[in-house]
Amino acid sequence: MQQKYHIELVEEHDAVNFYSVHLEEEELSELERFFEKFPEGCGYDEEIDVIIAWLDKIGENGALERYFRPEGRYGDGVGVVPIDVGNKLRLYCLRISDKILIFGNGGLKDSDSWQNSKSLAPYVEMLIDTSRFIASRIKDGKIILVDKELVGNLNFARDEKE
């Protein structure tokens, strides 16, 4: 089955723009859906606060490489917030540059790696595919980076893994 989605701007900051994956059939972006899974009082308030603090720091300083732990495959830009040890929540993102960050979704770390997690693997795999699509379109001139903006065709389709 094909999964259709687009990348949309969700927040502008002085140093960086936050984008998010938005699935065609969903009302909310993946970033919004992540936060909706963990409402206030759900038992993960402290961990959500840590993630929000990191997002604030990234908003102020940019999507600096040191703020992310690599999670995908070498060189694809897929990372996780937060990098703090002991945090059980994972919010996956795609770092395009210091000025452009694309958020996917995430959730509770429930295994030793995302590859072994039925709940987290689809989010990381989508960002790995998106990284490949964007790199190809940048090479072809169909997407250009203009300071903090992604300009061009930001609509994608991928085959969902069974």
Side-chain angles (χ1 to χ4, degrees), residues 137-157:
R137 289 185 186 176
I138 287 171
K139 190 175 160 210
D140 296 346
K142 293 181 177 142
I143 291 178
I144 54 172
L145 309 182
V146 181
D147 193 34
K148 299 183 299 181
E149 289 184 60
L150 279 174
V151 179
N153 181 359
L154 301 177
N155 296 306
F156 303 97

Side-chain angles (χ1 to χ4, degrees), residues 7-142:
I7 305 297
E8 66 183 21
L9 180 64
V10 290
E11 274 186 33
E12 292 184 68
H13 296 272
D14 290 339
V16 64
N17 278 352
F18 290 170
Y19 288 83
S20 183
V21 169
H22 195 137
L23 301 175
E24 189 177 68
E25 70 277 0
E26 294 293 338
E27 191 177 319
L28 302 174
S29 73
E30 290 299 276
L31 181 60
E32 293 167 317
R33 291 178 65 213
F34 171 80
F35 283 111
E36 213 173 57
K37 285 191 259 188
F38 303 102
E40 203 169 319
C42 72
Y44 293 101
D45 291 354
E46 277 183 38
E47 298 201 18
I48 288 292
D49 288 346
V50 168
I51 290 172
I52 290 170
W54 273 104
L55 298 185
D56 290 344
K57 186 175 189 172
I58 293 164
E60 285 173 29
N61 301 322
L64 306 178
E65 203 167 346
R66 67 179 175 267
Y67 292 160
F68 306 93
R69 189 176 63 238
E71 284 287 310
R73 296 184 178 97
Y74 180 76
D76 64 13
V78 177
V80 67
V81 178
I83 58 173
D84 303 36
V85 174
N87 203 314
K88 297 252 186 289
L89 295 184
R90 299 286 186 267
L91 172 58
Y92 295 100
C93 56
L94 180 56
R95 183 184 166 276
I96 302 297
S97 72
D98 287 353
K99 297 180 176 189
I100 299 172
L101 190 61
I102 301 170
F103 288 97
N105 205 320
L108 190 59
K109 181 177 190 269
D110 58 3
S111 68
D112 61 336
S113 69
W114 67 263
Q115 293 93 332
N116 294 329
S117 169
K118 283 189 181 352
S119 63
L120 298 178
Y123 301 135
V124 178
E125 287 165 358
M126 169 181 268
L127 289 174
I128 290 169
D129 288 349
T130 302
S131 173
R132 205 178 64 243
F133 297 155
I134 289 175
S136 171
R137 289 185 186 176
I138 287 171
K139 190 175 160 210
D140 296 346
K142 293 181 177 142

